[in-house]
Amino acid sequence: MASVILSARGLTRHFGGLRAVDGVDFDLQTGDIHALIGPNGAGKTTFVGLLSGRIPAQSGTIALAGEDITRLPAHARVKKGIAYTFQITSVYPRLSVFDNVALAVQQTATRDLASDVAAALSRVNLADRATQTAGTLSYGHQRLLELGMGLALRPRVLILDEPTQGLASGEIANFKQLVRSLAPETTVLLIEHNMDVVMDLATRITVLAAGRHLATGTPSEIRANPAVQDAYLGGHDASA
């Protein structure tokens, strides 16, 4: 049986009267590609913000490989092995592609920065663009650069927030191939509105609705779940 690399119990975050995340339990198994889905306003982005430390939890606990990280800030969680790529590209547009990845690599205990940057760029097929200014990349290539920055951290858990947003169909196909290549060495938590991508990539899926856990299961189990069909798969907006 696979071990649990990241878990949450009773995780809660309210914003005034809005219960963005309301007592959620969650387990991420080592080596999985686990998708997090739900209708508009389900609390997906808030939830991964809590897991990554970008948003403090009001109650509940978070553990990474059994270690309580509930009170650790985001930068400390990065060093523990959690990398989070954002829904909107977060590259440094005036720096080169190489320097963007180098900034990420410097957060790890690297012995050979140039080699580690080259390896990350090669992984996302951007090695031939190392000297290009990041802001001149296409949107799709900027998303790949952001993914390369995440991989350069050598994370145990990589959280991808709407990674295919704005990508062309050919770029999505390449992205799926890349994500598959990460497992099982890297565990992936994927927030994604494109259900074709979710059903094709994910080994397990968790559904949130109104800030609460609705269901977790394999893609076939989630497809067949009446509560999920009613809350989400019946045609509701899938954006975070």
Side-chain angles (χ1 to χ4, degrees):
M1 183 176 179
S3 61
V4 173
I5 182 71
L6 185 65
S7 66
R9 292 292 179 271
L11 206 57
T12 299
R13 178 70 200 202
H14 298 169
F15 297 99
L18 174 64
R19 299 187 175 193
V21 175
D22 196 18
V24 172
D25 293 344
F26 175 76
D27 287 321
L28 181 62
Q29 294 183 348
T30 303
D32 267 3
I33 300 173
H34 193 131
L36 184 67
I37 67 172
N40 188 39
K44 304 182 297 295
T45 295
T46 300
F47 181 69
V48 295
L50 295 171
L51 295 180
S52 66
R54 299 185 63 81
I55 301 172
Q58 287 173 312
S59 63
T61 60
I62 305 167
L64 178 66
E67 179 185 357
D68 189 337
I69 61 169
T70 309
R71 302 303 168 199
L72 288 183
H75 67 86
R77 296 189 201 191
V78 168
K79 292 182 178 180
K80 293 285 185 181
I82 299 177
Y84 177 21
T85 68
F86 307 102
Q87 186 173 1
I88 301 171
T89 51
S90 56
V91 302
Y92 299 94
R94 296 184 180 181
L95 298 181
S96 70
V97 168
F98 182 97
D99 286 344
N100 268 270
V101 178
L103 286 173
V105 168
Q106 286 174 352
Q107 297 184 57
T108 67
T110 182
R111 294 185 178 182
D112 189 343
L113 184 144
S115 177
D116 287 350
V117 171
L121 288 177
S122 178
R123 195 75 182 271
V124 295
N125 298 314
L126 289 178
D128 60 342
R129 298 178 182 271
T131 60
Q132 186 172 340
T133 302
T136 65
L137 293 173
S138 69
Y139 183 82
H141 283 135
Q142 287 190 37
R143 299 310 301 260
L144 287 176
L145 173 56
E146 187 186 35
L147 180 54
M149 293 165 68
L151 291 176
L153 296 168
R154 298 178 182 176
R156 290 191 279 176
V157 175
L158 178 63
I159 302 174
L160 303 175
D161 193 348
E162 302 283 11
T164 69
Q165 182 177 306
L167 298 187
S169 59
E171 292 172 328
I172 290 175
N174 291 335
F175 166 80
K176 290 193 293 186
Q177 183 178 0
L178 174 60
V179 171
R180 287 193 190 99
S181 76
L182 302 180
E185 288 79 12
T186 303
T187 302
V188 176
L189 177 57
L190 174 73
I191 305 175
E192 180 55 60
H193 70 282
N194 185 323
M195 290 305 299
D196 289 337
V197 171
V198 168
M199 293 299 178
D200 192 26
L201 270 182
T203 49
R204 291 177 68 79
I205 300 170
T206 289
V207 186
L208 296 183
R212 295 185 176 184
H213 175 271
L214 182 63
T216 294
T218 64
S220 60
E221 289 169 341
I222 293 301
R223 273 199 192 98
N225 187 309
V228 175
Q229 292 174 2
D230 182 59
Y232 181 52
L233 295 180
H236 290 275
D237 181 13
S239 60

